[in-house]
Amino acid sequence: MYASVRAPVNPGIITLVRGLVIGLVVVAIVIVGLITWAVGLNNQLVGLEQNVNEKWAQVQNVYQRRADLIPNLVETVKGFAAQERTVLNEVTQARASATGIRLTPEALNDPQALQKFQAAQNQLSGALSRLLVTVERYPELKSNANFLALQTQLEGTENRITVERQRYNEAVREYNTRLRLFPGSLVAGVMGFKPKAFFEATPESATPPKVKF
């Protein structure tokens, strides 16, 4: 029996293999790191987007509350000032237009859709202001208990609208800023995140209807 003779291993090959293994490990670590970073950013954007959606839901809720108060307000005014038909009809029609527009969270990516919503709400604010001005001519209406209760609720709702719009815009600003920061903007683009529209301030929306007498 002859003892087998093993050929010596070339040190260069060992070094090469070791280098390849180390390189593969480094590449794997980098890939895992990139994936972890991308997932973390995606989750952060999801959270920020969800916050925007929640704030928008609150905006729509307070606008709906205002719309819910208007029929009773119109009926109360009509009981004392039925002759004010033009103003009463304007409020009723404006309310119908405003409540006919409900924006889904997806629609917040479209500035024109939000502008259309805002225009309808501003139209209602204007009609409501004109209705409340007519009350000045009816002292009995101004002292009516039902009207006074509606006046208080409407005033509180208008203030709430201003607060919720501001909170929505703050949430949009935080989301849009994170969306545009590099290199996160690359991941955001790949994952389909889009900027949200701001609720723009206008002279009409900046001045709530006057409900105090």
Side-chain angles (χ1 to χ4, degrees):
M1 300 286 299
Y2 294 93
S4 60
V5 178
R6 302 179 64 180
V9 179
N10 190 325
I13 294 177
I14 295 176
T15 301
L16 178 61
V17 171
R18 184 179 298 158
L20 288 174
V21 171
I22 293 174
L24 290 174
V25 171
V26 171
V27 169
I29 293 174
V30 170
I31 291 175
V32 170
L34 287 174
I35 292 175
T36 301
W37 170 77
V39 170
L41 177 59
N42 180 78
N43 291 342
Q44 183 182 18
L45 288 172
V46 168
L48 291 173
E49 186 175 45
Q50 184 62 31
N51 185 44
V52 171
N53 295 343
E54 290 175 357
K55 294 297 188 295
W56 176 247
Q58 284 300 106
V59 170
Q60 295 206 113
N61 285 341
V62 290
Y63 271 125
Q64 185 60 50
R65 173 170 171 74
R66 179 176 72 167
D68 292 341
L69 291 172
I70 290 175
N72 286 338
L73 180 66
V74 169
E75 288 301 316
T76 301
V77 173
K78 188 184 297 183
F80 291 84
Q83 63 272 29
E84 303 290 348
R85 293 180 180 177
T86 299
V87 180
L88 291 169
N89 287 338
E90 284 182 0
V91 172
T92 300
Q93 293 172 5
R95 178 187 181 277
S97 297
T99 55
I101 302 176
R102 298 285 293 183
L103 297 186
T104 64
E106 291 74 21
L108 297 177
N109 299 332
D110 182 5
Q112 292 183 347
L114 188 55
Q115 288 173 7
K116 184 177 180 181
F117 175 90
Q118 183 174 358
Q121 296 297 340
N122 290 342
Q123 182 182 12
L124 178 54
S125 295
L128 189 57
S129 293
R130 289 188 289 275
L131 174 64
L132 293 172
V133 167
T134 65
V135 175
E136 289 286 1
R137 299 197 291 267
Y138 303 93
E140 292 183 3
L141 172 58
K142 290 168 60 176
S143 61
N144 177 265
N146 188 40
F147 176 78
L148 291 174
L150 289 168
Q151 169 189 320
T152 300
Q153 293 180 62
L154 184 61
E155 181 184 25
T157 301
E158 291 292 348
N159 292 335
R160 199 72 217 162
I161 287 173
T162 300
V163 170
E164 295 301 343
R165 280 195 316 221
Q166 181 178 351
R167 289 177 177 174
Y168 166 77
N169 276 349
E170 290 173 353
V172 169
R173 185 177 296 108
E174 183 180 7
Y175 168 79
N176 285 351
T177 299
R178 190 67 188 89
L179 198 66
R180 292 168 180 166
L181 289 177
F182 184 84
S185 56
L186 299 178
V187 175
V190 172
M191 300 306 294
F193 290 97
K194 297 180 180 179
K196 303 293 184 182
F198 284 97
F199 207 108
E200 300 293 342
T202 64
E204 295 83 359
S205 63
T207 305
K210 301 299 182 183
V211 297
K212 290 184 177 180
F213 301 97

